[in-house]
């Protein structure tokens, strides 16, 4: 399985609404519930109407399109990182999964995955 590191820095945010979110940006992940409007975006593109934010995240994606019948891909990676005390923030899209770690753990996370047989590139 191939892991592709992304070059960008990301922020995890709670926004008041999505009126200032630029949905045309390369990476823009949203989630809305009865309690909040969440946003994960490049740190350079955090909107002004952000109520709370947590900066300092880096991301990688599981390369390729994952079939919905595949089981355990995300849990295998997250368990491996948890065993090494690396916290994650996971995002699933229709095609694949993205995993964010804090910047200070990112390089080590990739090294752990590579040593465990994942192709990191």
């Amino acid at each position: 399985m191939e892991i592709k590191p992304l070059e960008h820095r990301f922020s995890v945010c709670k926004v008041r609404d999505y009126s200032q979110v630029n949905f045309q940006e390369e990476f823009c992940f949203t989630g809305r519930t009865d309690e909040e409007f969440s946003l994960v975006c490049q740190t350079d593109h955090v909107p002004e109407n952000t109520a709370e934010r947590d900066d300092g995240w880096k991301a990688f994606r599981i390369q390729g399109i994952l079939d919905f019948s595949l089981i355990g891909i995300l849990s295998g990676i997250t368990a491996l990182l948890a065993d090494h005390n690396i916290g994650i923030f996971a995002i699933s899209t229709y095609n694949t999964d993205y995993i964010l770690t804090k910047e200070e753990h990112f390089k080590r996370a990739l090294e752990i995955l590579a040593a465990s047989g994942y192709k990191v590139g």
Side-chain angles (χ1 to χ4, degrees), residues 1-4 61-64 118-121:
M1 180 138 312
E2 184 176 353
I3 302 294
K4 181 178 181 186
R61 74 171 151 230
I62 301 170
Q63 197 65 356
Y118 290 90
K119 180 182 175 188
V120 178

Side-chain angles (χ1 to χ4, degrees), residues 15-18 29-39:
V15 294
R16 290 180 183 81
D17 58 51
Y18 293 131
F29 305 97
T30 61
R32 183 181 187 282
T33 71
D34 61 335
E35 297 179 342
E36 66 179 306
F37 293 88
S38 290
L39 169 69

Side-chain angles (χ1 to χ4, degrees), residues 13-17 37 46-54:
C13 309
K14 185 188 294 188
V15 294
R16 290 180 183 81
D17 58 51
F37 293 88
V46 171
E48 289 184 25
N49 68 341
T50 296
E52 296 178 44
R53 67 189 276 178
D54 190 48

